[in-house]
Amino acid sequence: IQLMSEDRTDLMSLFNNEDQKYIWKLIFLLIMNSDITRSTDSFEKAIERFQTTTLDLGKTEDREILILMLFRAALMSVYCRPFLISQKWHDLEAEEMYLLGDKEEKLHINNTSEFHCRELNNKIEHAIDKFTNIVIPFYTILTKVIPDLAETFTTAKSNLKTWIHLKQTKNQNPQPQ
């Protein structure tokens, strides 16, 4: 917000008051929906609209729903990259969660998520969980409305299969302790 307040970067000054309010409304909507692991009323409403009707882009509400869904797709895009790229991003995400857990432990706070604990979290299980419970269901709905994303969805499903294969391989060849 500070950056947007400076004269040379204040894009909002190009809009009238009504448009500025609308843009801020959209910005806050997206911020409130930036955690793909949490559902919100806005997201549930968007999913319902995607499943039950054809969007009318002449309607403000339907445009907002489309923006929200595309935003969520962008947040999940790392899961839809070729496997080695997706895995690298997953590992970076896991490391970030572990760092949060380290800070929680340092402050003598119980881990706010099992994914913050290095001892409890299993990266492979975590990836499979994200794909199974978040990415695949989301893209199943999204590609019905936006068929051009089918290739992206296919990559996500392939990545899930690879994670499952890694889990099976690890279970067949457990590491000695």
Side-chain angles (χ1 to χ4, degrees):
I1 295 177
Q2 173 77 24
L3 179 65
M4 293 175 72
S5 311
E6 296 176 15
D7 289 340
R8 63 189 173 100
T9 56
D10 184 9
L11 296 177
M12 297 300 258
S13 66
L14 302 174
F15 301 102
N16 65 38
N17 229 11
E18 186 178 317
D19 289 341
Q20 285 183 21
K21 286 179 185 175
Y22 178 69
I23 290 169
W24 279 114
K25 176 186 167 195
L26 283 177
I27 290 169
F28 287 119
L29 172 72
L30 298 177
I31 289 170
M32 296 302 295
N33 284 278
S34 63
D35 182 349
I36 65 168
T37 64
R38 290 202 169 95
S39 191
T40 64
D41 290 342
S42 302
F43 183 65
E44 291 300 320
K45 185 178 179 182
I47 292 290
E48 184 180 326
R49 289 280 293 164
F50 258 56
Q51 290 178 314
T52 59
T53 64
T54 301
L55 295 181
D56 177 358
L57 296 182
K59 294 181 179 177
T60 301
E61 181 182 13
D62 283 358
R63 287 193 306 272
E64 289 174 6
I65 286 170
L66 182 60
I67 289 168
L68 174 58
M69 296 299 274
L70 290 173
F71 177 71
R72 280 283 182 121
L75 292 172
M76 292 182 208
S77 68
V78 298
Y79 301 97
C80 305
R81 302 271 190 250
F83 181 76
L84 292 177
I85 296 170
S86 179
Q87 182 184 32
K88 180 173 177 72
W89 280 103
H90 180 267
D91 289 348
L92 290 169
E93 177 186 42
E95 187 56 34
E96 183 179 337
M97 289 181 176
Y98 295 153
L99 291 173
L100 285 172
D102 294 345
K103 287 182 181 182
E104 290 170 340
E105 284 181 27
K106 199 177 222 177
L107 295 171
H108 305 290
I109 300 172
N110 290 334
N111 289 119
T112 55
S113 168
E114 67 185 71
F115 301 120
H116 293 179
C117 182
R118 293 176 194 274
E119 290 78 34
L120 296 178
N121 188 21
N122 176 315
K123 284 184 184 179
I124 294 173
E125 290 289 339
H126 180 245
I128 291 170
D129 181 67
K130 275 236 174 128
F131 275 98
T132 303
N133 296 314
I134 299 169
V135 178
I136 301 300
F138 175 77
Y139 270 92
T140 299
I141 295 164
L142 188 64
T143 54
K144 288 179 183 171
V145 178
I146 307 173
D148 289 348
L149 293 175
E151 187 176 334
T152 303
F153 186 33
T154 300
T155 303
K157 290 187 285 189
S158 173
N159 288 344
L160 172 59
K161 287 180 186 176
T162 303
W163 282 110
I164 291 170
H165 176 74
L166 287 173
K167 177 183 176 186
Q168 292 167 343
T169 303
K170 186 176 181 183
N171 288 343
Q172 291 170 356
N173 305 310
Q175 298 291 323
Q177 293 185 357

